[in-house]
Amino acid sequence: MKPILSFLLTVLPLTLNAQTTPTAPPAAEVPKLTEAQVNNVLGQLKILEADILSKRGSNLSSILARLNEGVASDQAATKLYTDCELIVNSERKGEGKAEARARAEQVEKALERKSKAGSKADDDGDSALGIRFGLRYLIMSLEAHEAKEEEFKKMVPKLQSYINDLVAAAPKLKGRAFGMVSRVCSGNSAIIEAFQLERYLNRQGWDKNPTNIGGMYTNTILPIAAVDAKDNLPSLWDARINADGAFRKENMTEPEFILWGQNELPTLRWERATYLYEKGPSAINAMADMLKLIKDNPAHADAPKWVKELRMLVNQSSPTQVSSEATPTPAVN
């Protein structure tokens, strides 16, 4: 019995492995076409491609025209938003027309509230203005999605202008109004659903959030400048930090903004310095910025980590490599 048992113990795992290990499907055989067939299909595809691009361009052009109409005024923005709510809730989701109309009227009345000094409406901001900013960013997102490489680079001035206007309007974009900016561009936006725009909003190198100033710089403005205008990187970083701070100041309570300045702002400045060390016009200037930041923020939670990182960079740049952490960090002039 022992030889048989030994044989079974040897063979059985092999059998189980053979049963459980999936076999790879055979590779699909590449069909062989004649030269005439190749030319025929490629010719048809060329015609179809031209037709598709023509219809796609025409369709997007009409949509962009509608969106631009909405940007033109508060009344137009409110009407476009409520019209899209009606389309989505009544025609697409099967809600009764009367119910959908009542819902749209409620939304319209809520959006028509204007800020009044000393009233609660001031805390809600200007919702119609929020929709207009959301529409404006949505238009730019569609243009960015369709843009070729050189055309995409030309989006930078538009994006910078949008950021400047967004910061300037920040006092009116509080509370509900702030939410409306993002809602227009969100995945469940009635406007995006009504015009079926989901597939046109996935451009690499473009941030989807219309209030994420940092993301606009990180994803679009800084990468393009790193290739085409390296000397502009320090000033662009300063513009990013200043715009982000100014916008947050209007949308945070005073204690929240003070904490942001104590905790997040130094972290942003360190991020600036390390970015400029790697990609900016002067690594020496970036190291000097790091040293100053550490001196100015010795109590920051990340200060010990910053010291280690700067020491490592200085040691790497030393003519004689110094590895001891006890070695004091030299001054950078």
Side-chain angles (χ1 to χ4, degrees):
M1 295 294 290
K2 287 184 179 180
I4 295 175
L5 181 60
S6 177
F7 174 77
L8 289 174
L9 290 174
T10 302
V11 173
L12 188 56
L14 296 175
T15 305
L16 290 174
N17 285 337
Q19 292 174 345
T20 57
T21 303
T23 57
E29 184 179 352
V30 179
K32 301 296 183 181
L33 300 177
T34 65
E35 185 175 352
Q37 288 173 322
V38 169
N39 292 334
N40 184 12
V41 174
L42 291 179
Q44 292 185 60
L45 286 175
K46 184 176 182 180
I47 296 171
L48 288 170
E49 183 179 36
D51 186 46
I52 289 169
L53 291 176
S54 174
K55 290 178 179 177
R56 177 189 178 97
S58 175
N59 185 42
L60 273 179
S61 294
S62 63
I63 292 173
L64 287 170
R66 290 286 307 279
L67 297 179
N68 275 300
E69 288 173 7
V71 174
S73 69
D74 289 353
Q75 184 178 5
T78 301
K79 186 176 187 308
L80 176 61
Y81 189 88
T82 53
D83 284 349
C84 290
E85 285 272 347
L86 266 174
I87 291 171
V88 171
N89 291 318
S90 178
E91 296 180 16
R92 305 267 174 85
K93 296 183 179 179
E95 189 175 90
K97 287 188 178 181
E99 293 176 333
R101 170 55 63 187
R103 183 202 296 270
E105 288 176 354
Q106 287 179 353
V107 172
E108 190 170 2
K109 287 178 182 177
L111 294 176
E112 285 175 349
R113 290 185 304 175
K114 296 291 183 181
S115 299
K116 296 178 182 178
S119 70
K120 184 180 180 299
D122 195 41
D123 296 330
D124 289 334
D126 187 339
S127 294
L129 182 63
I131 295 174
R132 291 170 69 185
F133 268 99
L135 289 172
R136 184 173 164 186
Y137 195 77
L138 180 58
I139 290 167
M140 288 195 300
S141 298
L142 292 171
E143 291 173 345
H145 185 274
E146 296 299 294
K148 304 296 183 184
E149 194 60 34
E150 289 304 315
E151 294 171 341
F152 184 67
K153 292 179 181 180
K154 294 177 183 178
M155 296 296 300
V156 169
K158 279 189 174 184
L159 193 54
Q160 290 173 311
S161 177
Y162 170 85
I163 292 170
N164 291 337
D165 292 345
L166 184 70
V167 171
K172 295 182 179 180
L173 296 175
K174 297 179 179 180
R176 180 183 176 86
F178 178 81
M180 292 304 298
V181 182
S182 297
R183 189 177 302 175
V184 170
C185 298
S186 67
N188 59 353
S189 160
I191 293 174
I192 290 177
E193 285 191 36
F195 289 108
Q196 301 180 59
L197 299 175
E198 297 91 343
R199 298 177 185 272
Y200 297 91
L201 300 172
N202 297 305
R203 172 70 191 233
Q204 187 175 4
W206 186 267
D207 198 278
K208 292 183 179 181
N209 188 337
T211 61
N212 185 13
I213 293 172
M216 296 172 200
Y217 273 92
T218 300
N219 290 312
T220 308
I221 298 174
L222 291 172
I224 290 175
V227 176
D228 295 341
K230 200 173 190 178
D231 289 342
N232 293 342
L233 288 173
S235 61
L236 287 173
W237 259 101
D238 291 337
R240 174 212 165 154
I241 292 172
N242 292 337
D244 203 6
F247 192 69
R248 287 176 182 274
K249 187 175 183 179
E250 294 296 336
N251 286 280
M252 288 180 165
T253 64
E254 185 175 351
E256 286 175 333
F257 185 70
I258 290 172
L259 288 174
W260 180 84
Q262 292 173 350
N263 300 317
E264 303 304 324
L265 181 56
T267 301
L268 262 180
R269 294 197 180 283
W270 183 262
E271 186 180 341
R272 172 191 184 275
T274 55
Y275 182 98
L276 293 178
Y277 177 83
E278 295 176 1
K279 301 180 180 180
S282 172
I284 293 292
N285 289 345
M287 293 170 75
D289 290 341
M290 292 179 195
L291 184 61
K292 183 178 185 304
L293 185 65
I294 295 170
K295 287 180 177 179
D296 292 345
N297 300 274
H300 193 278
D302 290 338
K305 182 184 73 170
W306 295 343
V307 169
K308 290 182 179 180
E309 291 179 10
L310 180 54
R311 178 182 287 120
M312 180 185 68
L313 296 178
V314 172
N315 288 342
Q316 288 175 353
S317 301
S318 174
T320 57
Q321 294 292 314
V322 183
S323 59
S324 171
E325 291 196 4
T327 303
T329 304
V332 181
N333 295 324

